[in-house]
Amino acid sequence: MNRKFLVILSLAAVVIIGAAATSDSKPKEEDTYVNLKVLPKDISSKELQKIMVDEFEDGLGVSCNFCHAADKNTGKLDFASDEKPEKEIARSMMRMTIGINKKYFKIKHPMIGSPELTATCNTCHNGVAFPDGKNAGGQ
């Protein structure tokens, strides 16, 4: 009788521990983003990474530190910081791109990174940060 009880108790413990280990009740820290003003607040890590690579790295030929400032203490990029003006310029450009696609191409719910967009960052930038050939200072 005791042996049977121990086997049942052991199986129950394995099931409970297994269920607890696979439970995804709280959001992953890496999928919780702060200070998103144009992109959806619930964007997935995969979607955000695709936008950053396809639209900014490839479309403008820039890396993360072009828009994102480094934390003064750790040196790591502080993605939530608005310290660099390029970040607000990027937001304005995303709003402009969404507006162009809505108004001129009649896309009802344009989203940066969506394959349905006709006008994208690359449409004008073609892989360069300053498509007019000038530096940020206009020189």
Side-chain angles (χ1 to χ4, degrees):
M1 189 80 123
N2 283 339
R3 185 177 172 134
K4 196 180 217 182
F5 177 73
L6 285 175
V7 170
I8 292 172
L9 184 62
S10 297
L11 286 174
V14 169
V15 170
I16 290 170
I17 291 170
T22 60
S23 174
D24 198 17
S25 60
K26 62 181 185 178
K28 296 176 188 170
E29 186 177 318
E30 69 224 37
D31 287 348
T32 305
Y33 300 104
V34 179
N35 202 18
L36 292 177
K37 295 184 179 177
V38 178
L39 298 172
K41 307 255 186 274
D42 62 347
I43 192 167
S44 72
S45 177
K46 185 177 180 179
E47 289 171 311
L48 183 60
Q49 189 65 26
K50 181 183 181 316
I51 290 168
M52 293 296 132
V53 170
D54 293 349
E55 299 298 324
F56 295 101
E57 271 188 37
D58 297 345
L60 278 74
V62 298
S63 59
C64 303
N65 64 355
F66 186 79
C67 295
H68 298 287
D71 181 281
K72 295 188 185 344
N73 296 322
T74 65
K76 293 181 179 180
L77 290 178
D78 180 359
F79 295 107
S81 170
D82 286 336
E83 184 179 330
K84 293 187 82 172
E86 290 85 355
K87 188 170 181 181
E88 190 54 44
I89 293 168
R91 288 177 177 140
S92 296
M93 298 295 255
M94 286 191 284
R95 288 181 191 105
M96 177 191 71
T97 301
I98 288 168
I100 289 170
N101 280 283
K102 243 183 204 179
K103 183 174 181 177
Y104 298 105
F105 299 104
K106 308 299 183 212
I107 298 173
K108 291 184 184 201
H109 303 288
M111 164 70 179
I112 298 297
S114 170
E116 73 177 356
L117 297 185
T118 301
T120 66
C121 300
N122 198 49
T123 303
C124 297
H125 283 271
N126 291 307
V128 294
F130 306 101
D132 61 1
K134 297 179 183 176
N135 291 332
Q139 301 172 22

